Amino acid sequence: MITPLRHVLALVLVLQLTAVAAADLTLPALFGDGMVLQRNRAVAVWGTADADQQITVTFGDQKHTTTADASNRWRVMLDAMPASAEGRTLTITGDGATIEHEDVLVGEVWIGSGQSNMEWPMHRSDAEAEIAAAGDPHLRLFTVKRAVAHEPRTDVEGSWQETSPQSVRNFSAVGYFFALKLREELDVPVGMVISAWGGTPAEAWAPRDRLEAEPRLAPLLTRWDRQVENNANAANHNHRPANLYNAMIAPLTPMTFRGAIWYQGESNVGRAHQYRTIFPLMIESWRERFAQGDFPFYYAQIAPFNYNSNPAFAAELWEAQLLTMRMLPNTGMAVLTDIGDVSDIHPTNKVDVGDRLAAWALAKTYNLDVPYSGPVYTHQAIEDGAIRLHFDHAQGMKSADGEPLSHFTIAGADGEFHAATAEVDGATVVVRSGSVPHPIAVRFAWHDSAEPNFVNASGLPASPFRTDSFPLLTRDSH
């Protein structure tokens, strides 16, 4: 029996279509025209293709070949490269398919994340002059589109943009000013990736398995699991533990970058004691999943704001943030007590926030001689009717406005805190009150709307702190 010609032609067409499908080749959205690759490190390039397909990646004078695995994934590592402002083409080829991304630079790449104060755009930050002046072709921006997911995803939505008045207008103000400062000081291309969502708690940004491994977080996870059982819509809530990590951080974890900045905590104020567990756990989990060691992680201590709850709740969260810096290596905290707005949870001064985070990076990551921290309390010594406080970053401690140091309180064994006087004495501060003849503890700026005047010679403010270990008000909040 002879097969009709039309059947033969149909079979040929099917085989041709199959061949096209077999050559399918994809890259994540992070790879695009105008992207920035991390300098001085082996750089991951990854994507998907049909199993056993040979993939070749070419960039500059480098050429690397690999084969897609049984899960349709492939990855190559470009050799470490010096910074380069020369736009070059990144080319990926498979069986009959080619992807090219042009104007690719090599420099410093950072990730920024958190809630609304990180997401807060330039056009809402009293930054019209900075918006109009934006136009550096070697400063590139990428915003991850908001998304939730129940399981870790492999890609995000977004695209790279050169800085211009149009592109920066809706970009994270903190992220932009941080990146701009690095660009000015380092004189290399800078890429800034922002993955943030307003009003979200820290647990939404951490992987579920790491949260489950911490017994102290069991009540939080149980509460959310019950909500999902009772209301299926809760499964897609952007506050649900791990939902934002799955959709907006997990897809980034193969990337090669320098470090991360973070501005979040407002949504966890009522559970400040629990934040002592969640926040360092989140940082450690990111470091595990990105698999680039203890990469720099610098964050903004939330600004003063009247939360209309117990005024000590925010102070307890400030302490959780301070303890995280002491607990984890290669972390740093920008204190914002002097640039907040107690009537607005979104202070519009984002220039100083970005600059203070950048100062940490410039000093600790890039080893430049720049001031990066205000006074940080270390220990106390009880003297006759007074307490002497010792600090790191104590050089030139003073009042910022020439008035007596403000927002110090002192307590005796009864735990009742009274307003106190505080005087700088060399590298220490001596605190006393006539109402407390036998003091045992001091607190500084222990109030959500405190705007103290205690700074060092660099004009950087001291972090709120306490010297006591009295039970926290939020200790039972889950």
Side-chain angles (χ1 to χ4, degrees):
M1 181 178 178
I2 299 176
T3 304
L5 179 60
R6 64 178 182 277
H7 291 172
V8 174
L9 293 176
L11 180 59
V12 170
L13 180 59
V14 169
L15 291 174
Q16 289 175 338
L17 291 173
T18 302
V20 171
D24 191 26
L25 178 67
T26 66
L27 283 176
L30 276 171
F31 292 92
D33 292 350
M35 73 177 300
V36 181
L37 302 177
Q38 177 61 46
R39 66 168 172 166
N40 299 336
R41 288 186 175 177
V43 174
V45 181
W46 72 97
T48 61
D50 284 321
D52 299 324
Q53 184 177 161
Q54 182 173 290
I55 308 299
T56 300
V57 177
T58 306
F59 185 68
D61 59 0
Q62 295 192 47
K63 187 174 184 179
H64 300 267
T65 300
T66 189
T67 302
D69 63 20
S71 300
N72 303 111
R73 301 175 186 274
W74 59 267
R75 185 174 81 155
V76 303
M77 300 298 293
L78 297 176
D79 299 332
M81 300 166 283
S84 173
E86 175 192 356
R88 289 175 284 180
T89 301
L90 177 68
T91 303
I92 300 90
T93 59
D95 296 338
T98 298
I99 297 175
E100 291 187 342
H101 289 306
E102 299 178 345
D103 194 24
V104 176
L105 310 182
V106 181
E108 290 297 309
V109 181
W110 285 76
I111 297 172
S113 188
Q115 58 178 110
S116 55
N117 273 307
M118 179 60 79
E119 190 180 35
W120 204 251
M122 289 284 287
H123 73 87
R124 301 182 68 180
S125 303
D126 292 337
E128 288 303 319
E130 290 85 353
I131 292 172
D136 186 342
H138 300 142
L139 177 53
R140 308 287 175 85
L141 313 172
F142 186 103
T143 300
V144 174
K145 185 178 179 180
R146 290 176 170 186
V148 300
H150 304 160
E151 299 294 335
R153 289 183 178 174
T154 58
D155 204 357
V156 297
E157 290 187 50
S159 61
W160 286 95
Q161 295 180 298
E162 284 188 13
T163 52
S164 68
Q166 294 72 35
S167 66
V168 305
R169 188 168 184 80
N170 292 306
F171 193 73
S172 160
V174 170
Y176 176 71
F177 288 123
F178 171 83
L180 181 63
K181 192 69 172 179
L182 297 190
R183 174 81 183 103
E184 293 171 346
E185 297 296 327
L186 301 176
D187 194 26
V188 299
V190 175
M192 191 74 224
V193 178
I194 293 295
S195 182
W197 194 331
T200 55
E203 58 268 21
W205 296 97
R208 175 76 190 215
D209 60 336
R210 289 291 276 108
L211 295 169
E212 289 175 342
E214 174 48 67
R216 288 172 291 185
L217 300 180
L220 172 65
L221 299 179
T222 298
R223 173 167 58 83
W224 268 101
D225 290 344
R226 288 174 178 168
Q227 288 186 44
V228 172
E229 289 176 3
N230 296 329
N231 180 0
N233 291 331
N236 298 317
H237 203 289
N238 63 355
H239 286 204
R240 187 187 182 198
N243 268 9
L244 301 187
Y245 171 82
N246 289 336
M248 300 177 66
I249 298 298
L252 308 181
T253 55
M255 73 180 291
T256 305
F257 67 112
R258 178 67 68 187
I261 58 172
W262 174 263
Y263 192 163
Q264 188 276 339
E266 298 90 343
S267 290
N268 290 87
V269 161
R271 296 179 285 119
H273 184 263
Q274 187 185 67
Y275 201 75
R276 292 176 168 209
T277 300
I278 295 174
F279 187 39
L281 179 151
M282 188 207 79
I283 296 172
E284 289 182 316
S285 70
W286 284 24
R287 287 173 167 175
E288 291 170 2
R289 303 303 161 87
F290 280 97
Q292 294 178 60
D294 292 336
F295 60 77
F297 193 102
Y298 304 130
Y299 53 93
Q301 193 179 58
I302 62 173
F305 173 69
N306 183 358
Y307 283 91
N308 294 316
S309 57
N310 190 298
F313 286 1
E316 293 184 4
L317 192 119
W318 289 330
E319 181 177 63
Q321 293 177 311
L322 178 62
L323 291 174
T324 297
M325 182 174 67
R326 291 172 172 167
M327 180 190 314
L328 298 183
N330 214 10
T331 57
M333 182 178 71
V335 178
L336 310 181
T337 52
D338 60 331
I339 54 174
D341 184 341
V342 297
S343 63
D344 189 345
I345 201 170
H346 303 117
T348 56
N349 178 1
K350 296 296 193 272
V351 176
D352 286 331
V353 181
D355 284 354
R356 289 181 186 179
L357 289 168
W360 274 95
L362 293 170
K364 305 302 286 184
T365 301
Y366 301 108
N367 299 313
L368 299 185
D369 184 17
V370 298
Y372 60 92
S373 176
V376 177
Y377 166 76
T378 59
H379 63 283
Q380 71 172 20
I382 298 176
E383 301 180 351
D384 185 21
I387 293 180
R388 185 177 296 273
L389 305 172
H390 296 256
F391 298 85
D392 286 333
H393 306 284
Q395 184 175 7
M397 293 190 303
K398 62 182 180 178
S399 163
D401 55 11
E403 298 295 321
L405 295 183
S406 65
H407 294 85
F408 281 88
T409 59
I410 197 167
D414 62 1
E416 294 294 325
F417 282 85
H418 299 263
T421 61
E423 297 180 347
V424 174
D425 183 13
T428 66
V429 173
V430 179
V431 185
R432 57 169 52 90
S433 171
S435 301
V436 185
H438 304 290
I440 66 168
V442 169
R443 290 182 174 181
F444 168 67
W446 205 255
H447 192 287
D448 61 6
S449 56
E451 296 179 294
N453 58 3
F454 179 28
V455 300
N456 61 12
S458 301
L460 293 172
S463 170
F465 66 89
R466 63 177 181 144
T467 71
D468 65 89
S469 57
F470 299 141
L472 295 180
L473 298 177
T474 59
R475 66 187 181 276
D476 296 322
S477 299
H478 302 294

